[in-house]
């Protein structure tokens, strides 16, 4: 079936999802969020769905980010699911030139591998556990090496793991030639600080140079997420991949009773990559590091009241934390095309 989705009169997320329901009847679990819509599109298998989207330039400013996330998600599904095809008309005013590989800044990747996997069984750190036919960390590393954008890929990790990582690089991507191994810090923020200082001391950092960071424990890193993260950071200064929450979210101070239910349409689950202008982050971090404790880049920018753009993440972008996560990750890696 062919449809035209005209967004020119849409003012809210609810109005957008009402339009979607008109062309795509939804089961009971469908909610007003992109993650649920993503699930439905991936599951679509009865008849071809051909949708032309117009009017995206007419949506209010506070809805444009959401619409761009929808566009990214719809195009991603269209590439993978042969029964779904979304096209976005040139008249919508939001067509952009493809990202030029020869961007006028240097772009570095930092693959965060400092964790020791204390919540997992066994003596082998989780980033070196086998997932499918290769160690966990190698999945994301190979995605970075295959990307055309990075000048260097920096891997900070505990000193006792440097030799092993070097052996893995020699085994799985010996021709890469752009990988640097350095000793990380005790905490994530210190590890990133060391990586940024290493880049500045070794290669020099210009005012607009970009750094993309990613967890070694997330093996399903896609070229789309990296590309869109870099684009957003070049435009906004900082970006993070994220997906909307689909579960009901409860608030509880002590973890004993539910005190409030939070509107999940406004809740996003932060993922990586997280990407930013390196010198901007370093300046903010220098001012805040003595007063605050941070778990990721987004928190640093948030405390400084600097906007972080949301890039549509991926439900396959699972972080390996517990033993059972390895089983799920391997199943996803082996069967993504069929899911």
């Amino acid at each position: 079936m062919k449809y035209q989705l005209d967004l020119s009169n849409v003012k809210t997320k609810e109005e957008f999802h009402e339009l979607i329901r008109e062309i795509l009847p939804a089961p009971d679990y469908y909610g007003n969020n992109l993650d649920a819509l993503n699930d439905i599109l991936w599951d679509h298998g009865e008849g071809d769905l051909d949708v032309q989207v117009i009017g995206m330039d007419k949506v209010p400013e506070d809805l444009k980010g959401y619409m761009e996330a929808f566009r990214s998600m719809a195009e991603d599904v269209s590439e993978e699911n042969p029964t779904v095809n979304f096209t976005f008309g040139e008249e919508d005013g939001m067509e952009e030139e493809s990202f030029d590989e020869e961007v006028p800044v240097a772009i570095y990747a930092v693959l965060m591998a400092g964790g020791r996997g204390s919540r997992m069984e066994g003596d082998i750190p989780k980033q070196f556990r086998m997932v499918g036919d290769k160690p966990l960390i190698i999945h994301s590393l190979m995605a970075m090496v295959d990307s055309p954008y990075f000048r260097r890929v920096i891997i900070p990790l505990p000193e006792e793991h440097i030799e092993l990582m070097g052996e893995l690089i020699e085994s799985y991507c010996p021709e890469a030639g752009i990988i640097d191994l350095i000793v990380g810090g005790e905490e994530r923020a210190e590890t990133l600080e060391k990586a940024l200082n290493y880049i500045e001391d070794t290669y020099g950092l210009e005012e607009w140079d970009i750094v993309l960071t990613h967890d070694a424990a997330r093996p399903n890193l896609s070229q789309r997420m990296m590309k869109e993260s870099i684009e957003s950071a070049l435009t906004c200064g900082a970006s993070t991949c994220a997906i909307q929450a689909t579960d009901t979210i409860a608030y509880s101070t002590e973890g004993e009773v539910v005190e409030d239910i939070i509107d999940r349409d406004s809740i996003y689950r932060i993922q990586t990559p997280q990407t930013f202008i390196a010198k901007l982050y370093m300046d903010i971090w220098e001012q805040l590091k003595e007063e605050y404790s941070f778990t990721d880049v987004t928190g640093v920018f948030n405390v400084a009241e600097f906007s972080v753009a949301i890039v549509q993440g991926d439900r396959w972008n699972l972080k390996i934390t517990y033993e059972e996560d390895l089983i799920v990750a391997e199943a996803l890696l082996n069967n993504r095309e069929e899911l």
Side-chain angles (χ1 to χ4, degrees):
M1 297 289 292
K2 291 188 176 182
Y3 300 92
Q4 185 176 81
L5 184 63
D6 187 354
L7 304 179
S8 56
N9 293 316
V10 171
K11 304 301 181 187
T12 66
K13 294 179 185 179
E14 290 73 19
E15 291 177 358
F16 165 70
H17 285 281
E18 285 297 326
L19 283 180
I20 289 289
R21 284 189 181 91
E22 292 179 8
I23 65 173
L24 191 67
D28 292 341
Y29 66 79
Y30 182 78
N32 288 336
N33 61 77
L34 293 181
D35 209 40
L37 176 57
N38 187 51
D39 288 344
I40 292 169
L41 291 177
W42 275 104
D43 293 340
H44 181 77
E46 296 184 4
D48 290 340
L49 180 68
D50 192 348
V51 182
Q52 181 190 29
V53 183
I54 62 172
M56 286 184 67
D57 61 325
K58 303 296 195 303
V59 302
E61 285 298 322
D62 62 354
L63 202 57
K64 286 189 182 294
Y66 193 78
M67 291 297 99
E68 286 289 6
F70 157 67
R71 176 176 181 163
S72 173
M73 178 269 292
E75 290 178 337
D76 193 33
V77 174
S78 297
E79 289 182 6
E80 300 289 342
N81 188 343
T83 70
V84 175
N85 180 48
F86 277 81
T87 57
F88 293 80
E90 294 181 0
E91 64 269 31
D92 68 19
M94 299 188 77
E95 286 289 332
E96 299 178 359
E97 296 181 1
S98 60
F99 180 44
D100 187 353
E101 297 177 12
E102 299 299 326
V103 291
V105 296
I107 303 174
Y108 299 89
V110 177
L111 186 55
M112 303 292 285
R116 290 177 167 83
S118 59
R119 284 170 285 189
M120 297 189 67
E121 301 173 4
D123 298 328
I124 302 174
K126 65 181 177 182
Q127 59 265 40
F128 302 124
R129 298 282 293 273
M130 294 297 292
V131 179
D133 60 351
K134 57 182 72 73
L136 176 60
I137 191 172
I138 296 297
H139 290 277
S140 292
L141 177 59
M142 292 180 73
M144 289 176 166
V145 168
D146 288 343
S147 167
Y149 307 128
F150 299 121
R151 180 180 180 186
R152 306 292 300 183
V153 176
I154 315 300
I155 308 179
L157 64 171
E159 185 172 9
E160 63 267 26
H161 298 160
I162 294 266
E163 182 177 355
L164 173 58
M165 190 68 224
E167 293 173 357
L168 293 177
I169 292 170
E170 186 63 30
S171 297
Y172 290 95
C173 38
E175 304 301 323
I178 62 168
I179 303 169
D180 293 350
L181 304 182
I182 67 169
V183 176
E186 290 298 318
E187 303 292 338
R188 184 183 183 90
E190 182 189 358
T191 294
L192 179 55
E193 182 180 22
K194 286 191 171 188
L196 294 173
N197 288 338
Y198 171 82
I199 294 170
E200 184 168 44
D201 293 343
T202 308
Y203 302 107
L205 277 172
E206 300 298 331
E207 184 176 4
W208 301 106
D209 287 352
I210 297 289
V211 169
L212 177 147
T213 67
H214 185 66
D215 295 328
R218 294 183 188 268
N220 282 292
L221 177 62
S222 71
Q223 296 298 325
R224 175 193 65 80
M225 285 191 289
M226 288 189 287
K227 175 178 179 290
E228 293 178 7
S229 294
I230 293 168
E231 289 175 330
S232 290
L234 286 168
T235 302
C236 303
S239 69
T240 184
C241 283
I243 58 175
Q244 274 195 298
T246 54
D247 295 328
T248 298
I249 307 296
Y251 174 82
S252 175
T253 305
E254 303 294 334
E256 296 180 355
V257 297
V258 173
E259 298 173 35
D260 195 9
I261 299 296
I262 301 172
D263 180 9
R264 66 183 178 189
D265 289 345
S266 302
I267 302 297
Y268 285 78
R269 294 162 51 197
I270 298 295
Q271 300 180 334
T272 62
Q274 295 181 338
T275 310
F276 50 88
I277 296 172
K279 281 189 170 293
L280 174 63
Y281 173 88
M282 293 169 77
D283 288 345
I284 294 173
W285 170 246
E286 195 61 36
Q287 298 174 44
L288 299 179
K289 66 180 182 179
E290 299 300 329
E291 294 186 57
Y292 296 91
S293 176
F294 299 100
T295 58
D296 71 352
V297 167
T298 305
V300 175
F301 284 109
N302 185 60
V303 168
E305 298 184 352
F306 190 95
S307 296
V308 177
I310 292 177
V311 173
Q312 181 66 24
D314 196 318
R315 57 183 176 152
W316 284 276
N317 191 20
L318 171 72
K319 183 176 181 180
I320 307 301
T321 303
Y322 300 102
E323 195 73 21
E324 57 268 28
D325 294 336
L326 290 168
I327 301 172
V328 177
E330 185 160 346
L332 291 172
L333 287 166
N334 291 338
N335 300 287
R336 176 162 183 168
E337 292 185 2
E338 286 75 32
L339 292 174

